[in-house]
Amino acid sequence: AQIGQTGVTVAPRLYIGAGVSGAVHHRGGMQSAGTIVAVNSDPEAPIFEIADFGIVGDLFTVLPQTTAELLRLKEPEGSK
């Protein structure tokens, strides 16, 4: 789905922007989110100006590590 001036506006509780620059037309569609997490390899990407949490790194490295950690945390205690 396209988010922004020519797309839709979203206001989820959590928005994760991975690999998006956060250009003005995109920001207009998602800046109402409750919490914004940005992942971008460019530390100067505009999305970091509005992100609540920012990770500077390659999304193909960051997202698999994040997914693995979330799955680990979701496991019931003693299931290892």
Side-chain angles (χ1 to χ4, degrees):
Q2 184 175 357
I3 298 172
Q5 289 175 331
T6 58
V8 297
T9 299
V10 295
R13 291 192 328 227
L14 173 63
Y15 176 89
I16 300 173
V20 295
S21 68
V24 172
H25 62 276
H26 179 110
R27 290 169 61 162
M30 47 66 77
Q31 65 187 1
S32 298
T35 301
I36 300 170
V37 178
V39 180
N40 197 298
S41 59
D42 178 6
E44 302 297 320
I47 196 165
F48 289 124
E49 295 172 10
I50 60 169
D52 296 294
F53 300 96
I55 302 168
V56 176
D58 184 282
L59 70 99
F60 296 106
T61 301
V62 173
L63 293 184
Q65 292 174 354
T66 303
T67 301
E69 181 62 10
L70 290 172
L71 290 171
R72 186 189 70 77
L73 291 171
K74 185 180 175 184
E75 287 181 5
E77 287 190 39
S79 65
K80 294 180 182 180

